Amino acid sequence: LVTGGTSVGGNIALGLAVVALAIYVFLRPEEVLGGIKSRQARYGGNALLMVVIFIAILVGVNFLSMRHSKRWDLTAEKKFSLAPQTVEILKNLQAPITALNFSSSQSGGSRSDTATLLDEYRARSDKFQVQTIDPEAQPTLARQYGVAYDGTLVLVSGDRRVTVSNPTESEITSALIKVTRATQPVVYVTTGHGERSLDDSGSTGFATVKAGLERDGFQVRPLMLATTTTVPSDAGVVIVAGPHTPIPTREVDTLRSYLARGGRVMVMVDTSLDTQDHSLGDAGLGSLLSEWGITLNDDLVFAYPNSMALFTATATTRSLKDCVG
């Protein structure tokens, strides 16, 4: 009963015990009845009943906790809490996802950290399942999934799979987006007007933005509006990333036509303090934005660390000094 298994010898012994007990009850019924009616038997029966009830309560609580689990993160830094974006993605999963955690006992603390993180994912969605596989014990399976390093995670959905070499939350969530997305959206970033460069990894460049978008399953491509009269049909969104010269009217009309077809445009315009060009203004996009109820001002917002006050000022040197003063 304890181990959940049986053997031939154990079955024979159990059968003989049942038969012997039955013979005893048949031959000595008065002793059996007397024992049942005794005070000691009543006390023993009450104790047995309390034990049975207690065990039943434990089983019921365990069953309910399995069906309706709830987790709390009591750490001050919310170390074990998933980001809202991750929670939303898990909530909207349509197809089952299996996370194959190729981790051996040699992984040590990293194995435990990954397992804890994956438990958070699994607790958020019943469509997210986890399997821990020891690549040393199952090398054939590891080779089948192209796993070369201990601690690698592979997300599988149908015939699609994505490998995660560094199982952090951001990497796992990015892989989750990729493995569940049927198509790869294309993001176009305008060029030719001094916009932020997608290849510049400096503080003013967008190389990090590009890497983040590609990590989340987007394709990022440059768009030279001067050489085309239409935005490509596969564009998921067009980003105007801080032009330093005004965009010509013809190119603005190209964006206008794209928006009329249901397109999406994200506009980011630097202030003249950043560009040192007070003639830049609205970068030639003022009329287009006004059609969508947006007014673009050449303003600044200052937030002081020790104050809740916010100040705005036009981007001129004098008004900036006045604001700070």
Side-chain angles (χ1 to χ4, degrees):
L1 291 177
V2 173
T3 63
T6 59
S7 63
V8 176
N11 290 334
I12 293 175
L14 181 61
L16 291 176
V18 171
V19 171
L21 181 62
I23 293 174
Y24 174 75
V25 173
F26 178 75
L27 296 178
R28 301 289 185 90
E30 65 282 355
E31 291 185 7
V32 174
L33 291 175
I36 293 175
K37 294 179 180 180
S38 67
R39 178 180 298 179
Q40 184 177 1
R42 288 198 302 272
Y43 289 156
N46 290 336
L48 178 63
L49 179 61
M50 294 298 293
V51 170
V52 170
I53 293 174
F54 180 72
I55 293 175
I57 292 174
L58 288 181
V59 171
V61 170
N62 186 61
F63 176 78
L64 291 175
S65 66
M66 294 278 292
R67 296 291 298 272
H68 307 281
S69 61
K70 182 65 177 177
R71 302 163 69 93
W72 290 275
D73 185 357
L74 302 180
T75 60
E77 303 84 3
K78 298 301 178 184
K79 180 179 178 181
F80 301 107
S81 297
L82 298 178
Q85 179 195 16
T86 300
V87 174
E88 188 66 21
I89 292 170
L90 290 169
K91 186 188 304 182
N92 295 322
L93 284 180
Q94 301 298 320
I97 304 294
T98 301
L100 304 178
N101 183 18
F102 287 90
S103 180
S104 69
S105 57
Q106 306 299 323
S107 301
S110 61
R111 180 183 189 181
S112 176
D113 292 342
T114 301
T116 301
L117 182 58
L118 291 175
D119 283 343
E120 283 295 317
Y121 278 78
R122 180 165 46 188
R124 298 288 184 171
S125 174
D126 56 2
K127 288 186 171 61
F128 190 93
Q129 301 299 320
V130 179
Q131 293 182 19
T132 300
I133 302 171
D134 189 336
E136 296 179 357
Q138 302 185 57
T140 302
L141 190 60
R143 286 194 297 270
Q144 177 184 337
Y145 284 94
V147 174
Y149 301 100
D150 193 4
T152 300
L153 185 71
V154 180
L155 298 188
V156 180
S157 178
D159 57 353
R160 296 194 299 273
R161 67 178 67 167
V162 177
T163 301
V164 182
S165 301
N166 181 27
T168 61
E169 181 186 348
S170 61
E171 294 294 333
I172 295 174
T173 300
S174 296
L176 192 59
I177 295 172
K178 292 177 182 178
V179 80
T180 56
R181 181 175 285 159
T183 59
Q184 194 173 21
V186 183
V187 175
Y188 284 93
V189 181
T190 61
T191 61
H193 316 94
E195 290 94 338
R196 306 297 177 95
S197 172
L198 294 173
D199 300 319
D200 183 1
S201 58
S203 59
T204 60
F206 269 20
T208 303
V209 175
K210 178 183 178 182
L213 288 171
E214 290 176 340
R215 184 192 62 205
D216 287 345
F218 293 90
Q219 298 182 56
V220 183
R221 300 174 184 171
L223 176 62
M224 179 73 75
L225 291 172
T227 61
T228 182
T229 59
T230 181
V231 174
S233 59
D234 62 349
V237 63
V238 174
I239 298 178
V240 182
H244 279 203
T245 59
I247 300 176
T249 302
R250 188 190 66 79
E251 298 178 28
V252 174
D253 289 339
T254 300
L255 293 176
R256 179 179 284 106
S257 299
Y258 168 65
L259 286 170
R261 300 197 309 268
R264 302 178 180 90
V265 175
M266 179 179 182
V267 177
M268 293 178 284
V269 179
D270 291 319
T271 68
S272 56
L273 278 183
D274 291 319
T275 62
Q276 302 300 318
D277 183 0
H278 297 283
S279 65
L280 178 62
D282 55 19
L285 297 169
S287 61
L288 175 61
L289 295 176
S290 64
E291 295 171 12
W292 293 86
I294 299 172
T295 301
L296 181 62
N297 295 326
D298 190 18
D299 293 344
L300 293 176
V301 176
F302 295 92
Y304 289 83
N306 298 321
S307 173
M308 295 301 292
L310 294 178
F311 301 89
T312 62
T314 57
T316 64
T317 304
R318 180 175 179 180
S319 59
L320 173 61
K321 291 181 179 179
D322 292 342
C323 179
V324 176

